[in-house]
Amino acid sequence: MTRLSTAFAKAHPALVAFITAGDGDTAANLDALVAGGADVIELGMPFTDPMADGPAIQEANIRSLNAGTTTADIFALASAFRKRHPDTPLVLMGYANPMTIRGGDWFASECNKAGVDGVICVDIPPEEDPELGPALRSAGIDLIRLATPTTDTARLPAVLNGASGFLYYVSVAGITGLQVAAQTSIDEAVARLKAHTDLPIAVGFGVRTPEQAANIARVADGVVVGSAIVELVATHGVNAAGPVRDYVASLKHAIVTARKASA
């Protein structure tokens, strides 16, 4: 059992929380996510052209890069987090360039040394898996793939081939944070994905309110929340830890309550 598989088995459903590395007081915000009840943490690697992200995360990327955040800084944050939180899974999420510029083997090795559990690379499709996939797998790092509303039955086997950790279902055909998918479409998509894989299915993009989180928790194995947390960091700056903890706690309460009600 890995940290990720343990987290999904234990929480069921898991709350997966995202923040951008280098935006605000990242160490304090990571601790706040754990204190609020996040089961899995995604740490965004800032990039100059975050094509999948909406305004909130784009602006967080800019703030982080303007502050001088480097890949070395991100691994230092991850390593320090692992010392403070030995059991909470940490996933790096980002884009191909920062992950592959020194070679996939280097990146995978650094992930392993820092105690990173998984990687989501938004812009390496399954066809380009050799760029990063073999290196991550040989280092014991889960490669978490994305499925979308346009991932049909013919495409799904390619997405699942070599995927591990969990499957991230992007609930809208668009960018993070702005749109909200109809719950019926999420229900149908999760059922379809579960027919093809035993990996946990986590649903994200556009999840903001405890009510939305609760509705997704009734059908999925995980609920991913990012932009709404990043907006709290934008509003509160280096003092965001308290508001982040309280917001995450409200999501966690809704998720736990929803799953108990449907049990």
Side-chain angles (χ1 to χ4, degrees):
M1 294 282 281
T2 65
R3 269 186 294 256
L4 268 173
S5 61
T6 300
F8 276 96
K10 204 162 88 176
H12 197 72
L15 173 56
V16 183
F18 172 98
I19 59 170
T20 300
D23 181 28
D25 186 343
T26 305
N29 293 340
L30 287 168
D31 292 346
L33 296 178
V34 177
D39 302 292
V40 177
I41 292 175
E42 292 177 2
L43 186 60
M45 299 180 67
F47 185 52
T48 50
D49 185 23
M51 64 186 82
D53 290 303
I57 296 176
Q58 284 186 26
E59 288 162 13
N61 277 258
I62 292 165
R63 289 192 299 270
S64 177
L65 292 170
N66 285 345
T69 304
T70 65
T71 301
D73 295 331
I74 296 165
F75 282 122
L77 284 164
S79 188
F81 174 85
R82 180 54 62 227
K83 289 184 177 75
R84 296 193 306 278
H85 304 285
D87 300 321
T88 304
L90 184 68
V91 173
L92 293 184
M93 183 168 185
Y95 296 84
N97 187 288
M99 296 184 184
T100 60
I101 195 164
R102 296 174 183 84
D105 289 334
W106 179 87
F107 184 75
S109 171
E110 292 300 304
C111 284
N112 183 285
K113 283 192 282 189
V116 170
D117 299 280
V119 169
I120 301 169
C121 186
V122 175
D123 55 345
I124 294 184
E127 289 77 9
E128 295 172 23
D129 184 72
E131 289 277 316
L132 195 57
L136 290 174
R137 284 186 280 273
S138 67
I141 310 294
D142 283 314
L143 176 61
I144 296 150
R145 290 259 175 79
L146 304 168
T148 75
T150 59
T151 307
D152 60 18
T153 307
R155 174 69 177 158
L156 195 52
V159 172
L160 293 171
N161 183 27
S164 61
F166 63 94
L167 184 66
Y168 187 148
Y169 178 64
V170 175
S171 62
V172 293
I175 54 177
T176 55
L178 292 183
Q179 306 166 72
V180 177
Q183 185 62 37
T184 49
S185 73
I186 292 173
D187 294 354
E188 290 162 6
V190 169
R192 184 168 59 83
L193 294 170
K194 281 182 171 293
H196 288 86
T197 182
D198 292 330
L199 288 174
I201 312 296
V203 177
F205 278 50
V207 184
R208 294 189 157 271
T209 68
E211 184 185 18
Q212 286 173 305
N215 287 335
I216 292 170
R218 291 187 181 98
V219 294
D221 304 300
V223 182
V224 188
V225 181
S227 294
I229 301 171
V230 169
E231 285 169 9
L232 288 173
V233 179
T235 300
H236 297 280
V238 294
N239 301 310
V244 164
R245 181 194 63 237
D246 293 346
Y247 172 64
V248 169
S250 74
L251 296 170
K252 179 70 171 181
H253 176 73
I255 289 169
V256 169
T257 305
R259 187 44 74 110
K260 277 183 187 162
S262 62

Coordinates of all heavy atoms in Angstrom, one line a residue, residues 87-160:
D87 N 2.6 11.0 6.7 CA 1.5 10.1 6.1 C 0.6 10.7 5.1 O -0.1 10.0 4.4 CB 0.7 9.5 7.3 CG 1.5 8.8 8.3 OD1 2.4 8.0 7.9 OD2 1.2 8.9 9.5
T88 N 0.7 12.0 4.9 CA -0.2 12.7 4.0 C 0.4 12.7 2.6 O 1.5 13.2 2.4 CB -0.5 14.2 4.4 OG1 -1.0 14.2 5.7 CG2 -1.5 14.8 3.5
P89 N -0.3 12.1 1.6 CA 0.2 12.1 0.2 C 0.4 13.5 -0.4 O -0.5 14.3 -0.2 CB -0.8 11.3 -0.5 CG -1.7 10.6 0.5 CD -1.6 11.5 1.7
L90 N 1.4 13.6 -1.1 CA 1.7 14.9 -1.8 C 2.0 14.6 -3.3 O 2.8 13.8 -3.6 CB 3.0 15.6 -1.2 CG 3.3 17.0 -1.7 CD1 2.3 18.0 -1.3 CD2 4.7 17.4 -1.3
V91 N 1.2 15.3 -4.1 CA 1.3 15.2 -5.5 C 1.7 16.5 -6.2 O 1.2 17.6 -5.8 CB -0.1 14.8 -6.1 CG1 -0.2 14.8 -7.6 CG2 -0.6 13.4 -5.6
L92 N 2.7 16.4 -7.0 CA 3.1 17.6 -7.8 C 2.2 17.7 -9.1 O 2.1 16.7 -9.8 CB 4.6 17.6 -8.2 CG 5.5 17.7 -7.0 CD1 7.0 17.8 -7.5 CD2 5.3 19.0 -6.1
M93 N 1.7 18.9 -9.3 CA 0.8 19.1 -10.5 C 1.4 20.2 -11.3 O 1.7 21.3 -10.8 CB -0.6 19.3 -10.1 CG -1.5 19.5 -11.3 SD -3.3 19.5 -10.8 CE -4.1 19.5 -12.4
G94 N 1.5 20.0 -12.6 CA 2.1 21.1 -13.5 C 2.2 20.7 -14.9 O 1.4 19.8 -15.4
Y95 N 3.2 21.3 -15.5 CA 3.3 21.2 -17.0 C 4.7 20.6 -17.4 O 5.6 20.5 -16.5 CB 3.1 22.6 -17.6 CG 1.7 23.1 -17.4 CD1 1.4 23.7 -16.2 CD2 0.7 22.8 -18.3 CE1 0.1 24.1 -16.0 CE2 -0.6 23.3 -18.1 CZ -0.9 23.9 -17.0 OH -2.2 24.3 -16.7
A96 N 4.8 20.1 -18.6 CA 5.9 19.3 -19.0 C 7.3 20.0 -18.9 O 8.2 19.4 -18.5 CB 5.7 18.8 -20.5
N97 N 7.3 21.3 -19.3 CA 8.6 21.9 -19.4 C 9.4 21.8 -18.1 O 10.6 21.3 -18.1 CB 8.5 23.3 -19.9 CG 9.8 24.0 -20.2 OD1 10.5 24.3 -19.2 ND2 10.1 24.2 -21.4
P98 N 8.9 22.3 -16.9 CA 9.7 22.2 -15.7 C 10.0 20.8 -15.3 O 11.0 20.6 -14.6 CB 8.8 22.9 -14.7 CG 7.8 23.7 -15.5 CD 7.6 23.0 -16.7
M99 N 9.2 19.8 -15.7 CA 9.4 18.5 -15.3 C 10.4 17.7 -16.1 O 11.0 16.7 -15.7 CB 8.0 17.7 -15.3 CG 7.0 18.2 -14.3 SD 5.5 17.2 -14.4 CE 4.4 18.1 -13.2
T100 N 10.6 18.1 -17.4 CA 11.4 17.4 -18.3 C 12.6 18.1 -18.8 O 13.5 17.5 -19.4 CB 10.6 17.0 -19.5 OG1 10.1 18.2 -20.2 CG2 9.4 16.1 -19.2
I101 N 12.8 19.4 -18.4 CA 13.9 20.2 -19.0 C 15.3 19.6 -18.6 O 16.2 19.7 -19.3 CB 13.7 21.7 -18.5 CG1 14.6 22.5 -19.4 CG2 14.0 21.9 -17.1 CD1 14.3 24.0 -19.3
R102 N 15.3 19.0 -17.4 CA 16.6 18.3 -17.0 C 16.6 16.8 -17.2 O 17.5 16.1 -16.8 CB 16.9 18.6 -15.5 CG 17.1 20.1 -15.2 CD 17.3 20.2 -13.7 NE 17.4 21.6 -13.3 CZ 16.4 22.5 -13.1 NH1 15.2 22.1 -13.3 NH2 16.7 23.7 -12.7
G103 N 15.5 16.4 -17.9 CA 15.3 14.9 -18.1 C 14.4 14.3 -17.1 O 14.4 14.7 -15.9
G104 N 13.6 13.4 -17.6 CA 12.6 12.7 -16.7 C 13.3 12.0 -15.6 O 12.7 11.9 -14.5
D105 N 14.4 11.4 -15.8 CA 15.1 10.6 -14.7 C 15.5 11.6 -13.6 O 15.3 11.2 -12.4 CB 16.4 9.9 -15.2 CG 16.0 8.8 -16.1 OD1 14.9 8.2 -16.0 OD2 16.8 8.4 -17.0
W106 N 16.0 12.8 -13.9 CA 16.3 13.7 -12.8 C 15.1 14.1 -12.0 O 15.1 14.1 -10.8 CB 17.0 15.0 -13.5 CG 17.3 16.0 -12.4 CD1 18.5 16.1 -11.7 CD2 16.5 17.1 -12.0 NE1 18.4 17.2 -10.8 CE2 17.2 17.8 -11.0 CE3 15.2 17.5 -12.3 CZ2 16.7 18.9 -10.3 CZ3 14.7 18.6 -11.6 CH2 15.4 19.3 -10.6
F107 N 14.0 14.4 -12.7 CA 12.8 14.9 -12.1 C 12.3 13.8 -11.2 O 11.9 14.0 -10.0 CB 11.8 15.3 -13.1 CG 10.5 15.9 -12.5 CD1 10.5 17.1 -11.9 CD2 9.3 15.1 -12.4 CE1 9.3 17.6 -11.3 CE2 8.2 15.6 -11.8 CZ 8.2 16.9 -11.3
A108 N 12.2 12.5 -11.7 CA 11.7 11.4 -10.9 C 12.5 11.2 -9.7 O 12.0 10.9 -8.6 CB 11.6 10.2 -11.8
S109 N 13.9 11.3 -9.8 CA 14.8 11.1 -8.7 C 14.5 12.1 -7.6 O 14.5 11.8 -6.4 CB 16.2 11.1 -9.2 OG 17.1 11.1 -8.1
E110 N 14.4 13.4 -8.0 CA 14.1 14.5 -7.1 C 12.8 14.3 -6.4 O 12.7 14.5 -5.1 CB 14.2 15.8 -7.8 CG 15.5 16.2 -8.3 CD 16.6 16.4 -7.2 OE1 16.3 17.1 -6.2 OE2 17.6 15.7 -7.2
C111 N 11.8 13.8 -7.1 CA 10.5 13.5 -6.5 C 10.6 12.5 -5.4 O 10.1 12.6 -4.3 CB 9.5 13.0 -7.5 SG 8.8 14.3 -8.6
N112 N 11.4 11.4 -5.7 CA 11.6 10.3 -4.8 C 12.3 10.8 -3.5 O 11.9 10.5 -2.4 CB 12.4 9.2 -5.5 CG 12.6 8.0 -4.6 OD1 13.4 8.1 -3.7 ND2 11.9 6.9 -4.9
K113 N 13.4 11.6 -3.7 CA 14.2 12.1 -2.6 C 13.3 13.0 -1.7 O 13.5 13.1 -0.5 CB 15.4 12.9 -3.1 CG 16.5 12.0 -3.6 CD 17.8 12.7 -3.8 CE 17.8 13.5 -5.1 NZ 19.1 14.1 -5.4
A114 N 12.4 13.8 -2.3 CA 11.6 14.7 -1.5 C 10.4 14.1 -0.9 O 9.6 14.8 -0.2 CB 11.2 15.9 -2.4
G115 N 10.1 12.8 -1.2 CA 8.9 12.2 -0.6 C 7.6 12.5 -1.3 O 6.5 12.4 -0.7
V116 N 7.7 12.9 -2.6 CA 6.5 13.1 -3.4 C 5.9 11.8 -3.8 O 6.7 10.8 -4.2 CB 6.9 13.9 -4.7 CG1 5.8 14.0 -5.7 CG2 7.4 15.3 -4.3
D117 N 4.6 11.7 -3.8 CA 3.9 10.4 -4.0 C 3.5 10.2 -5.5 O 3.3 9.1 -6.0 CB 2.7 10.3 -3.1 CG 3.2 10.3 -1.6 OD1 3.6 9.2 -1.2 OD2 3.1 11.3 -1.0
G118 N 3.1 11.4 -6.1 CA 2.6 11.3 -7.5 C 2.8 12.5 -8.2 O 3.1 13.6 -7.7
V119 N 2.6 12.4 -9.5 CA 2.8 13.6 -10.4 C 1.6 13.6 -11.4 O 1.2 12.6 -12.0 CB 4.1 13.4 -11.2 CG1 4.2 14.5 -12.3 CG2 5.3 13.6 -10.3
I120 N 1.1 14.8 -11.6 CA 0.1 15.1 -12.7 C 0.7 16.0 -13.6 O 1.1 17.2 -13.3 CB -1.2 15.7 -12.1 CG1 -1.9 14.8 -11.1 CG2 -2.2 16.0 -13.2 CD1 -3.0 15.5 -10.3
C121 N 0.9 15.6 -14.9 CA 1.5 16.5 -15.9 C 0.4 16.7 -16.9 O 0.0 15.8 -17.7 CB 2.7 15.9 -16.6 SG 3.5 17.0 -17.7
V122 N -0.1 18.0 -16.9 CA -1.3 18.3 -17.7 C -1.1 18.1 -19.2 O -2.0 17.7 -19.9 CB -1.7 19.8 -17.4 CG1 -2.8 20.2 -18.3 CG2 -2.0 19.9 -15.9
D123 N 0.1 18.4 -19.7 CA 0.3 18.5 -21.2 C 1.2 17.4 -21.7 O 1.8 17.6 -22.8 CB 0.7 19.9 -21.6 CG 2.0 20.3 -20.9 OD1 2.4 19.7 -19.8 OD2 2.6 21.3 -21.3
I124 N 1.4 16.3 -21.0 CA 2.0 15.1 -21.6 C 0.9 14.1 -21.8 O 0.5 13.4 -20.9 CB 3.2 14.5 -20.8 CG1 4.3 15.5 -20.7 CG2 3.7 13.2 -21.4 CD1 5.5 15.0 -20.0
P125 N 0.4 13.9 -23.1 CA -0.6 12.9 -23.3 C 0.0 11.5 -23.3 O 1.2 11.3 -23.3 CB -1.1 13.2 -24.7 CG 0.1 13.9 -25.4 CD 0.8 14.6 -24.3
P126 N -0.9 10.5 -23.2 CA -0.4 9.1 -23.1 C 0.6 8.7 -24.2 O 1.5 8.0 -24.0 CB -1.7 8.2 -23.2 CG -2.7 9.1 -22.6 CD -2.4 10.5 -23.0
E127 N 0.4 9.3 -25.4 CA 1.2 9.0 -26.5 C 2.7 9.4 -26.3 O 3.6 8.9 -26.9 CB 0.7 9.6 -27.8 CG -0.6 9.0 -28.3 CD -1.8 9.5 -27.6 OE1 -1.7 10.4 -26.7 OE2 -2.9 8.9 -27.8
E128 N 2.9 10.4 -25.4 CA 4.2 10.9 -25.1 C 4.7 10.4 -23.8 O 5.6 11.0 -23.2 CB 4.2 12.4 -25.2 CG 3.9 12.9 -26.6 CD 3.7 14.4 -26.6 OE1 4.2 15.1 -25.7 OE2 3.1 14.9 -27.6
D129 N 4.1 9.3 -23.3 CA 4.5 8.7 -22.0 C 6.0 8.5 -21.8 O 6.5 8.8 -20.7 CB 3.8 7.4 -21.8 CG 4.0 6.8 -20.4 OD1 3.5 7.4 -19.4 OD2 4.8 5.9 -20.3
P130 N 6.8 8.1 -22.8 CA 8.2 7.9 -22.6 C 9.0 9.2 -22.1 O 10.0 9.0 -21.5 CB 8.7 7.5 -24.0 CG 7.6 6.9 -24.6 CD 6.4 7.7 -24.2
E131 N 8.4 10.4 -22.3 CA 9.0 11.6 -21.8 C 9.2 11.5 -20.2 O 10.2 12.1 -19.7 CB 8.2 12.8 -22.1 CG 8.1 13.2 -23.5 CD 9.3 14.1 -23.9 OE1 9.6 15.0 -23.2 OE2 9.9 13.8 -25.0
L132 N 8.3 10.9 -19.5 CA 8.3 11.0 -18.1 C 7.9 9.7 -17.4 O 8.3 9.4 -16.3 CB 7.4 12.2 -17.6 CG 7.5 12.7 -16.2 CD1 8.9 13.2 -15.9 CD2 6.5 13.9 -16.0
G133 N 6.9 9.0 -18.0 CA 6.3 7.9 -17.4 C 7.2 6.8 -16.9 O 7.2 6.4 -15.7
P134 N 8.1 6.3 -17.7 CA 9.0 5.2 -17.3 C 9.9 5.6 -16.1 O 10.1 4.8 -15.2 CB 9.8 4.9 -18.5 CG 9.0 5.3 -19.7 CD 8.2 6.5 -19.2
A135 N 10.4 6.9 -16.1 CA 11.2 7.4 -15.1 C 10.5 7.4 -13.7 O 11.0 7.0 -12.7 CB 11.8 8.7 -15.4
L136 N 9.2 7.9 -13.8 CA 8.4 8.0 -12.6 C 8.1 6.6 -12.0 O 8.3 6.4 -10.8 CB 7.1 8.8 -12.8 CG 7.2 10.3 -13.1 CD1 5.9 10.8 -13.5 CD2 7.8 11.0 -11.9
R137 N 7.7 5.7 -12.9 CA 7.3 4.4 -12.4 C 8.5 3.7 -11.8 O 8.4 3.0 -10.8 CB 6.7 3.6 -13.6 CG 5.3 4.0 -13.9 CD 4.6 3.1 -14.9 NE 5.0 3.5 -16.3 CZ 4.4 4.4 -17.0 NH1 3.4 5.1 -16.6 NH2 4.9 4.7 -18.3
S138 N 9.7 3.8 -12.4 CA 10.9 3.1 -11.9 C 11.3 3.8 -10.5 O 12.0 3.1 -9.7 CB 12.0 3.1 -12.9 OG 12.5 4.4 -13.1
A139 N 10.9 5.0 -10.3 CA 11.2 5.7 -9.0 C 10.1 5.5 -8.0 O 10.2 6.0 -6.9 CB 11.5 7.2 -9.2
G140 N 9.1 4.7 -8.3 CA 8.0 4.5 -7.4 C 7.0 5.6 -7.2 O 6.4 5.7 -6.2
I141 N 7.0 6.5 -8.2 CA 6.1 7.7 -8.2 C 4.9 7.4 -9.0 O 5.0 7.0 -10.2 CB 6.8 8.9 -8.7 CG1 8.2 9.1 -8.0 CG2 5.9 10.2 -8.5 CD1 8.2 9.4 -6.6
D142 N 3.7 7.6 -8.5 CA 2.5 7.4 -9.3 C 2.3 8.5 -10.4 O 2.5 9.7 -10.1 CB 1.2 7.5 -8.4 CG 1.0 6.2 -7.6 OD1 1.1 5.1 -8.2 OD2 0.8 6.3 -6.4
L143 N 2.0 8.0 -11.6 CA 1.7 9.0 -12.7 C 0.1 9.0 -12.8 O -0.5 8.0 -13.1 CB 2.3 8.5 -14.0 CG 1.9 9.3 -15.2 CD1 2.4 10.8 -15.1 CD2 2.5 8.7 -16.5
I144 N -0.4 10.2 -12.4 CA -1.8 10.3 -12.3 C -2.3 11.0 -13.6 O -1.9 12.1 -14.0 CB -2.2 11.2 -11.1 CG1 -1.8 10.5 -9.8 CG2 -3.7 11.6 -11.1 CD1 -1.4 11.4 -8.7
R145 N -3.2 10.3 -14.3 CA -3.7 10.8 -15.6 C -5.0 11.5 -15.4 O -5.8 11.3 -14.5 CB -3.9 9.6 -16.6 CG -2.5 9.0 -17.0 CD -2.1 9.5 -18.4 NE -0.8 9.1 -18.8 CZ -0.5 7.8 -19.2 NH1 -1.5 6.9 -19.3 NH2 0.7 7.5 -19.6
L146 N -5.3 12.3 -16.4 CA -6.6 13.1 -16.5 C -7.5 12.5 -17.5 O -7.1 12.1 -18.6 CB -6.3 14.5 -16.9 CG -5.3 15.3 -16.1 CD1 -4.9 16.6 -16.8 CD2 -5.8 15.7 -14.7
A147 N -8.8 12.4 -17.1 CA -9.9 12.0 -18.1 C -10.8 13.2 -18.1 O -11.0 13.9 -17.1 CB -10.6 10.8 -17.7
T148 N -11.5 13.4 -19.2 CA -12.3 14.6 -19.4 C -13.7 14.2 -20.0 O -13.8 13.0 -20.4 CB -11.7 15.6 -20.4 OG1 -11.8 15.1 -21.7 CG2 -10.2 15.9 -20.0
P149 N -14.6 15.1 -20.1 CA -15.9 14.7 -20.7 C -15.8 14.3 -22.2 O -16.7 13.6 -22.7 CB -16.7 16.0 -20.6 CG -16.1 16.8 -19.5 CD -14.7 16.4 -19.5
T150 N -14.7 14.6 -22.8 CA -14.5 14.2 -24.2 C -13.6 12.9 -24.3 O -13.4 12.4 -25.4 CB -13.8 15.3 -25.0 OG1 -12.5 15.6 -24.4 CG2 -14.6 16.5 -25.0
T151 N -13.3 12.3 -23.2 CA -12.5 11.0 -23.2 C -13.6 9.9 -23.4 O -14.2 9.5 -22.5 CB -11.8 10.8 -21.9 OG1 -10.9 11.9 -21.6 CG2 -10.9 9.5 -22.0
D152 N -13.6 9.4 -24.7 CA -14.7 8.4 -24.9 C -14.1 7.0 -24.7 O -13.0 6.8 -24.3 CB -15.2 8.5 -26.4 CG -14.1 8.4 -27.4 OD1 -13.0 7.8 -27.1 OD2 -14.3 8.8 -28.6
T153 N -15.0 6.0 -24.9 CA -14.6 4.6 -24.6 C -13.4 4.1 -25.4 O -12.6 3.3 -24.9 CB -15.8 3.7 -24.8 OG1 -16.9 4.3 -24.1 CG2 -15.6 2.3 -24.3
A154 N -13.3 4.7 -26.6 CA -12.2 4.3 -27.5 C -10.9 4.9 -26.9 O -9.8 4.2 -27.1 CB -12.4 4.7 -28.9
R155 N -10.9 6.0 -26.3 CA -9.7 6.7 -25.9 C -9.3 6.3 -24.5 O -8.1 6.3 -24.2 CB -10.0 8.2 -25.8 CG -9.0 9.1 -25.2 CD -7.7 9.2 -26.1 NE -6.7 10.1 -25.6 CZ -5.4 10.0 -25.9 NH1 -5.0 9.1 -26.8 NH2 -4.6 10.9 -25.4
L156 N -10.2 5.8 -23.7 CA -10.0 5.6 -22.3 C -8.9 4.5 -22.0 O -8.0 4.8 -21.1 CB -11.3 5.1 -21.6 CG -11.3 5.1 -20.1 CD1 -10.9 6.5 -19.5 CD2 -12.7 4.8 -19.6
P157 N -8.8 3.4 -22.8 CA -7.7 2.5 -22.5 C -6.3 3.1 -22.6 O -5.4 2.8 -21.8 CB -7.9 1.4 -23.5 CG -9.3 1.5 -23.9 CD -9.7 2.9 -23.8
A158 N -6.1 4.0 -23.5 CA -4.8 4.7 -23.6 C -4.5 5.6 -22.4 O -3.4 5.6 -21.9 CB -4.8 5.6 -24.9
V159 N -5.5 6.3 -21.9 CA -5.4 7.1 -20.7 C -5.1 6.3 -19.5 O -4.2 6.6 -18.7 CB -6.7 7.9 -20.5 CG1 -6.6 8.6 -19.1 CG2 -6.9 8.9 -21.6
L160 N -5.7 5.1 -19.4 CA -5.5 4.2 -18.2 C -4.2 3.5 -18.3 O -3.6 3.1 -17.2 CB -6.7 3.3 -18.1 CG -8.0 3.9 -17.8 CD1 -9.1 2.9 -17.9 CD2 -8.0 4.6 -16.4

